Amino acid sequence: SSIFAGQLCNGIRIVLQDRESLNAVDLGVEILCALQRLHPGVFQLEPALHMVGSRTVIRAIADGLEPESILASWQPQLDEFRRRSGQYLLY
């Protein structure tokens, strides 16, 4: 069902030992940036849009921005969201 059907595809295995220390969003951005950098022209970012949810982030990855700068770019909005939504959290 893939464009690589019938071909040997190498991969990685991630073993999570402390789920409390994992930031899945950070990991996702790091992986997408690495795939884009390692396989330009082969790895397609557009199908990842539904997981990322932001064309701005997809564009930043395509432009070769570092994961740290991409993650930092939305920090002010995230901080504001946390500040405003904190009073409504039950747990």
Side-chain angles (χ1 to χ4, degrees), residues 1-16:
S1 66
S2 163
I3 61 170
F4 300 108
Q7 297 179 34
L8 175 64
C9 297
N10 295 311
I12 62 169
R13 179 177 181 200
I14 298 173
V15 178
L16 183 59

Side-chain angles (χ1 to χ4, degrees), residues 28-29 31-37 39 41-52 54-55 57-64:
V29 171
I31 289 172
L32 288 173
C33 287
L35 289 170
Q36 179 66 20
R37 185 180 69 252
H39 304 287
V42 177
F43 180 68
Q44 298 177 6
L45 282 167
E46 195 62 30
L49 177 60
H50 75 280
M51 292 184 288
V52 173
S54 168
R55 287 200 183 280
V57 173
I58 293 293
R59 213 171 303 118
I61 294 169
D63 290 344

